[in-house]
Amino acid sequence: MKTGAKILIEGLLRQGVTTIFGYPGGVVLPIYDELYDSPLRHILVRHEQAAAHAADGYARASGRTGVCLATSGPGACNLVTGIATAYMDSIPMVALTGQVPTALLGNDAFQESDITGITMPVTKHNYLVKRAEDIDTVLAEAFHIAGTGRQGPVLVDLPKDVVTNEAPDPGPLKEVSLRGYNPTFKGHLRQIEKAISMIAEAERPVIYAGGGVIASDASPELIRFAEMTGIPVTTTLMGIGAIPCDHPLNLGMLGMHGTRYANYAITECDLLIAIGARFDDRVTGRIQSFAPNARIIHIDIDPAEIGKNKVVDLPIVGDSRQVMICMLDRLTGTTDRSVWNEKISHWKVQYPMACPEDGVLRPQLVIKTLSDLLDGEGIIVSEVGQNQMWTAQQFCFKHPRTWITSGGLGTMGYGLPAAMGAHFARPDLPVFDIAGDGSIQMNIQEFGTIVQYDIPVKVVILNNMYLGMVRQWQELFYDRRYSYTELPSVDFVGIAAAYGIDGMRVDSADQVKEALTAAIDTDGPFVLDFRVEREENVFPMVPAGAAINEMIGGEKK
Amino acid sequence: MKVHTLSVLVENKSGVLSRVAGMFSRRGFNIESLAVGTCEVPEMSRITITVHGDDTRIEQVKKQLNKLIDVIKVSDITYHEHVRRELALIKVVANPGSSRAEVMQIADTFRAQIIDVGAKTLILQVVGPPEKIDALEKLLRQYGVKELVRTGMIAALRGSKTTAGD
Ligand SMILES: Cc1ncc(C[n+]2csc(CCOP(=O)(O)OP(=O)(O)O)c2C)c(N)n1
Ligand SMILES: [Mg+2]
């Protein structure tokens, strides 16, 4: 016989979990007692939201399921934003929460909250475990569901008596079989053959690759597929890194802040091949005008995504990687598309995603310089807002899983804790959090965690003393009425110092390279406070409700 | 736009109904009616849902239902031969000497049973497709319907086929 807590921790170890992120409290005391002398590493964060984001960052950087742990009531509720963030981006995560004893459930007991009810809309599935003997099975199911098919977060709620009660040793890991859950991995052969002939017929094809390509580790297949067919690739925010930025067939990001050439290519293409992407409104703009002349092939593991936002001509349900492997086997000769390729090259020259270099300390310059210094060898995490879009536009990503950002939910405060998680997944790589002055203050308490565990995350704050992205909308669409978007100056270097972290404030363009080099050369964490041009905007931009070829800005100066 | 009848086989676990109902409200799908009960397999339940929408919307409803882990099978039986039934209890004002005889006559026409006789009211129990219940209710309204209780529609495929797929 073993206690539920012991079964839980051993279950985590058997799932191959090495690191979890958490925060203790009353009802999880038995679990924490078990952790005390367990080989499982627990990272004590400063806020449960950060535990969830760290588990998420860990998952995105490693491809493995991230795990977080919180107590009942307030602890569990604090996880919710992080769980919702993971849900929107289909990130595999198991969230463990304590719960009041089963006898008190439903009684409004101290620190009781119905966390399975609360998280139902933002989890792939969740469990309230009622008996110690169920823990092992539930845990195995949770990891199975989180990490297969369209991945996502699964929450497991554990009442206190369930972890203190004893149950028989569960024995070796059992195969999970759920009759209501059978994701399709292999694409339908006839559909794949149809796709091959549609590709052969197309004169102006474009590949639109999303986060599903990263999730299924299909980057090599995507690159081979693009090269063999000669089809250019545009990626969503979530798909960045699937093809190297400097690959001749890469069109960069599409959508609201995408490149002009990607958006033009989409608008003029006659065949759109969507792979692991979901036609999100930030990508499509006015949906009726998205790829208006194209036949559409949609490859996705989630059948519910097919036809959800846009009617498609050829659906292929399956794992991006499996489907592409199958397609690669069947590809025949390439079609001559020199007219189309020339048109695209022409757009690329005419509308480059240029970095302004005019001696002013502009945020883009910081990103561009960092990109040059790292040469794609590092993990870049972002917060949300202009900082995120400038990074997506200016940083040259060369590998999948090196760009970590909250896409679907757009969660400010995501970056710093996600960067901590990314470090534990890839301790061999430098990790940078590109932050806004607003976002960083949403989880700045994690400086404490960084110091405690000596996590060498470098924080690059693009400090415009504004909630910049909101200010940009106010400037462009609300007659410059900056309603509650100005932030007073904060001495971020001073805050870092108070936590024991080195830092540097940068006020001019000519200090940028030196400052970033100093950060890269520092062994431990480092905070850089770049006082950037305050009213810089993110361009090009597709205004809300416009078609994606109706962009503002981004013409050649 | 058409009313579709979905027969959904689910795990008989706590929370299943709120997962299904929550998904409908969250995604803005309107449930016309929902009925749930145990079924031929002890650890499963069967939910019959009627939902309004064009074909693409119904397709989305089915796919979203299928994504729920506790949903085992979704069958859209709209275009298959099936029987549909609902049960309703209608408490109607029927004073002796005034409308009672008329109400009883209507009940008879609809093959509704009178299952309670009060001093001033009768309770009619009627079984049939939802339209039949609608029609009866409409007729009885002139006498005063004090209470209407409906089970929601259930449905089954005709012949030996079942929605469990065997
Ligand atoms: C938690 C949360 N609250 C509000 C928003 C809305 N929002 C989007 S961007 C933004 C401004 C971000 O400011 P900052 O972090 O300074 O970044 P900047 O845009 O200035 O680079 C806000 C408030 C959000 N995305 N997340
Ligand atoms: Mg800012």
Side-chain angles (χ1 to χ4, degrees):
Chain A
M1 299 292 272
K2 284 179 175 169
T3 65
K6 197 169 186 68
I7 294 171
L8 175 74
I9 301 302
E10 289 181 358
L12 290 172
L13 288 168
R14 287 194 307 179
Q15 290 292 337
V17 178
T18 57
T19 310
I20 69 172
F21 304 89
Y23 207 90
V27 296
V28 286
L29 274 165
I31 300 175
Y32 272 83
D33 191 59
E34 200 55 50
L35 279 170
Y36 187 70
D37 41 21
S38 158
L40 193 60
R41 174 169 53 182
H42 172 278
I43 304 300
L44 176 69
V45 294
R46 296 297 175 273
H47 186 304
E48 290 88 349
Q49 183 189 351
H53 290 326
D56 168 315
Y58 179 92
R60 293 189 206 223
S62 66
R64 297 172 46 215
T65 300
V67 181
C68 56
L69 167 64
T71 192
S72 66
C77 287
N78 273 347
L79 290 179
V80 173
T81 305
I83 295 172
T85 302
Y87 182 71
M88 286 295 273
D89 289 341
S90 308
I91 304 305
M93 176 195 289
V94 170
L96 305 168
T97 50
Q99 183 55 279
V100 301
T102 47
L104 294 180
L105 275 174
N107 276 328
D108 305 314
F110 178 63
Q111 295 194 330
E112 176 180 5
S113 68
D114 173 13
I115 197 64
T116 46
I118 290 170
T119 58
M120 216 172 259
V122 293
T123 50
K124 186 171 172 187
H125 194 54
N126 62 25
Y127 294 88
L128 170 58
V129 187
K130 296 273 182 63
R131 306 179 317 159
E133 35 278 64
D134 295 339
I135 290 178
D136 190 63
T137 311
V138 166
L139 201 66
E141 288 183 10
F143 275 86
H144 177 66
I145 293 168
T148 58
R150 180 174 182 174
Q151 301 174 324
V154 177
L155 180 134
V156 179
D157 201 19
L158 297 151
K160 187 170 183 182
D161 54 322
V162 171
V163 290
T164 50
N165 286 347
E166 295 198 333
D169 191 314
L173 257 184
K174 286 173 276 299
E175 180 101 7
V176 175
S177 121
L178 292 160
R179 54 189 165 192
Y181 178 68
N182 289 302
T184 310
F185 291 100
K186 289 237 182 303
H188 196 285
L189 263 183
R190 261 219 326 276
Q191 301 290 89
I192 287 175
E193 274 155 15
K194 273 189 210 158
I196 299 289
S197 59
M198 282 167 80
I199 290 166
E201 287 159 22
E203 287 172 10
R204 301 183 307 280
V206 173
I207 296 169
Y208 146 48
V213 175
I214 308 282
S216 70
D217 292 317
S219 169
E221 286 75 17
L222 175 72
I223 296 165
R224 269 193 63 208
F225 182 63
E227 287 173 350
M228 280 181 73
T229 55
I231 302 178
V233 181
T234 173
T235 60
T236 66
L237 182 70
M238 298 301 300
I240 289 177
I243 180 166
C245 70
D246 50 0
H247 193 287
L249 288 168
N250 186 12
L251 300 176
M253 181 170 74
L254 80 167
M256 183 174 276
H257 291 296
T259 62
R260 277 188 175 252
Y261 40 95
N263 287 353
Y264 290 153
I266 292 281
T267 307
E268 296 205 7
C269 72
D270 67 348
L271 178 69
L272 183 69
I273 308 165
I275 310 175
R278 61 185 176 91
F279 296 85
D280 175 75
D281 54 279
R282 291 285 136 133
V283 160
T284 64
R286 194 188 330 120
I287 188 95
Q288 299 82 353
S289 313
F290 185 73
N293 310 310
R295 293 207 283 170
I296 301 177
I297 299 172
H298 191 182
I299 302 166
D300 205 286
I301 194 150
D302 181 1
E305 284 306 335
I306 288 167
K308 186 181 83 177
N309 296 337
K310 183 96 181 160
V311 178
V312 301
D313 299 274
L314 183 73
I316 303 177
V317 175
D319 172 74
S320 312
R321 186 161 171 272
Q322 298 292 331
V323 172
M324 276 193 281
I325 287 174
C326 191
M327 287 173 86
L328 283 168
D329 280 348
R330 284 164 180 76
L331 281 176
T332 45
T334 52
T335 316
D336 173 41
R337 303 195 183 96
S338 47
V339 181
W340 178 232
N341 293 340
E342 266 163 43
K343 194 162 195 177
I344 288 173
S345 308
H346 179 70
W347 285 329
K348 278 189 167 180
V349 174
Q350 209 175 350
Y351 308 108
M353 186 60 86
C355 174
E357 282 175 67
D358 53 3
V360 178
L361 177 42
R362 296 190 194 275
Q364 298 95 322
L365 177 72
V366 178
I367 306 300
K368 179 72 173 37
T369 310
L370 180 63
S371 180
D372 291 345
L373 288 170
L374 290 179
D375 195 26
E377 304 308 315
I379 294 183
I380 305 296
V381 186
S382 85
E383 298 286 348
V384 167
Q386 293 180 312
N387 58 84
Q388 178 183 33
M389 291 302 130
W390 285 317
T391 312
Q393 292 180 339
Q394 297 291 341
F395 196 93
C396 183
F397 291 94
K398 299 199 169 155
H399 310 287
R401 300 195 183 280
T402 58
W403 164 237
I404 294 179
T405 196
S406 166
L409 202 66
T411 310
M412 289 173 68
Y414 170 80
L416 182 58
M420 303 186 325
H423 163 72
F424 287 104
R426 292 299 307 271
D428 54 317
L429 289 178
V431 180
F432 280 75
D433 173 35
I434 311 295
D437 50 317
S439 297
I440 192 68
Q441 295 186 72
M442 282 214 178
N443 272 319
I444 200 163
Q445 78 286 344
E446 296 308 315
F447 281 175
T449 312
I450 281 177
V451 169
Q452 182 170 358
Y453 298 96
D454 195 23
I455 303 171
V457 166
K458 322 296 183 212
V459 183
V460 172
I461 305 172
L462 303 177
N463 188 349
N464 50 16
M465 294 196 278
Y466 277 118
L467 298 172
M469 186 55 94
V470 184
R471 184 209 57 75
Q472 174 169 343
W473 282 61
Q474 290 171 335
E475 176 187 334
L476 298 175
F477 311 116
Y478 290 87
D479 209 15
R480 298 184 66 101
R481 287 156 57 86
Y482 293 167
S483 181
Y484 303 102
T485 43
E486 187 161 11
L487 298 172
S489 174
V490 172
D491 176 10
F492 288 111
V493 174
I495 293 177
Y499 275 98
I501 301 173
D502 286 340
M504 195 189 289
R505 173 176 161 151
V506 182
D507 290 282
S508 70
D510 53 20
Q511 297 173 293
V512 169
K513 191 168 177 186
E514 192 188 327
L516 288 168
T517 307
I520 292 169
D521 292 343
T522 304
D523 285 336
F526 204 80
V527 172
L528 283 166
D529 179 4
F530 288 98
R531 300 295 171 129
V532 297
E533 178 66 21
R534 293 193 67 202
E535 300 199 16
E536 188 72 25
N537 287 330
V538 182
F539 290 127
M541 176 181 194
V542 178
I548 59 166
N549 62 338
E550 298 164 2
M551 285 164 281
I552 315 172
E555 303 91 348
K556 199 167 181 177
K557 295 248 161 66
Chain B
M1 293 289 254
K2 186 174 166 62
V3 175
H4 279 244
T5 305
L6 307 181
S7 182
V8 185
L9 214 52
V10 299
E11 296 287 350
N12 185 8
K13 285 184 186 162
S14 66
V16 173
L17 195 57
S18 68
R19 285 181 206 280
V20 170
M23 188 282 287
F24 271 82
S25 67
R26 181 160 73 247
R27 297 204 175 260
F29 304 141
N30 285 321
I31 302 180
E32 302 254 308
S33 118
L34 182 151
V36 57
T38 53
C39 69
E40 66 278 7
V41 187
E43 66 279 14
M44 296 184 193
S45 301
R46 183 173 275 110
I47 307 180
T48 310
I49 303 171
T50 53
V51 55
H52 216 86
D54 58 26
D55 286 354
T56 38
R57 199 153 174 81
I58 299 296
E59 197 55 36
Q60 206 24 235
V61 170
K62 289 190 270 181
K63 285 170 168 178
Q64 293 296 344
L65 274 171
N66 264 317
K67 272 176 79 167
L68 299 175
I69 310 290
D70 285 340
V71 167
I72 299 159
K73 191 157 195 284
V74 180
S75 313
D76 184 353
I77 62 172
T78 316
Y79 301 108
H80 299 271
E81 279 214 36
H82 63 278
V83 288
R84 304 147 63 237
R85 288 295 179 272
E86 183 172 11
L87 184 146
L89 302 180
I90 310 172
K91 185 177 289 179
V92 59
V93 177
N95 284 307
S98 103
S99 59
R100 183 159 292 199
E102 269 179 56
V103 169
M104 287 173 74
Q105 207 176 355
I106 292 170
D108 202 38
T109 319
F110 277 78
R111 281 194 244 152
Q113 282 173 276
I114 292 160
I115 58 167
D116 179 73
V117 180
K120 296 172 180 164
T121 57
L122 295 174
I123 297 180
L124 273 57
Q125 171 191 300
V126 61
V127 177
E131 308 83 70
K132 174 175 168 179
I133 296 170
D134 294 343
L136 176 60
E137 188 221 335
K138 208 169 148 200
L139 266 180
L140 292 175
R141 224 180 267 157
Q142 54 179 314
Y143 306 103
V145 172
K146 287 181 73 85
E147 197 172 1
L148 172 68
V149 188
R150 299 175 69 149
T151 56
M153 191 192 79
I154 55 171
L157 290 170
R158 285 185 184 276
S160 57
K161 272 206 249 155
T162 75
T163 55
D166 34 44

